[in-house]
């Protein structure tokens, strides 16, 4: 690995029947552009699973960038545009994965 691992946020969305292609196109053409403007986001990728789930993966600069990114005006804007899909999604969830530093292990000597 070349450098420290970066935090990643994953959006998982399950559009209703008949909405998968339209939502995926919107994610690729609009949502990815909007979320690339969020401070601390260094990369965004979109994909679709064979079962129709739409994924967006956001790579963040570092651990400090997570809170800054989520609280930014740019993130609020991206969330706002995503709200237009609320009634056409069966499920929407976000997951954040961040590296955990090595834990110190202490041995007790009695």
């Amino acid at each position: 690995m070349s450098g420290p691992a970066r935090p990643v946020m994953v959006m998982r969305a399950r559009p209703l029947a008949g909405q998968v292609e339209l939502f995926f196109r919107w994610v690729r053409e609009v949502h990815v552009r909007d979320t690339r403007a969020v401070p601390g986001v260094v990369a965004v990728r979109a994909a679709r699973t064979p079962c129709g789930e739409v994924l967006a993966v956001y790579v963040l600069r570092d651990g400090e960038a997570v809170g800054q990114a989520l609280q930014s005006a740019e993130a609020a804007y991206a969330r706002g545009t995503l709200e237009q899909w609320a009634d056409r999604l069966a499920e929407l969830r976000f997951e954040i994965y961040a590296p955990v530093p090595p834990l110190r292990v202490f041995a007790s000597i009695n």
Side-chain angles (χ1 to χ4, degrees), residues 4-87:
R6 295 185 174 187
V8 174
M9 185 167 73
V10 178
M11 176 190 78
R12 297 177 185 273
R14 197 163 41 91
L16 297 174
Q19 297 295 309
V20 176
E21 283 298 326
L22 189 61
F23 181 69
F24 185 51
R25 186 174 338 119
W26 178 83
V27 167
R28 282 190 330 233
E29 296 173 5
V30 177
H31 187 68
V32 166
R33 179 197 66 220
D34 292 347
T35 54
R36 280 189 179 139
V38 173
V41 173
V42 297
V44 182
R45 301 284 187 269
R48 194 176 79 189
T49 67
C51 64
E53 186 176 49
V54 176
L55 307 173
V57 178
Y58 319 87
V59 180
L60 293 120
R61 182 184 65 245
D62 54 31
E64 289 182 14
V66 175
Q68 296 167 353
L70 294 175
Q71 295 173 20
S72 72
E74 294 85 353
Y77 176 80
R79 284 189 300 271
T81 62
L82 182 59
E83 286 179 13
Q84 69 182 305
W85 290 94
D87 62 343

Side-chain angles (χ1 to χ4, degrees), residues 80-98:
T81 62
L82 182 59
E83 286 179 13
Q84 69 182 305
W85 290 94
D87 62 343
R88 294 179 275 174
L89 298 176
E91 182 177 8
L92 175 66
R93 66 180 187 260
F94 288 87
E95 303 161 359
I96 297 177
Y97 300 94

Side-chain angles (χ1 to χ4, degrees), residues 1-6 99:
M1 183 188 275
S2 62
R6 295 185 174 187

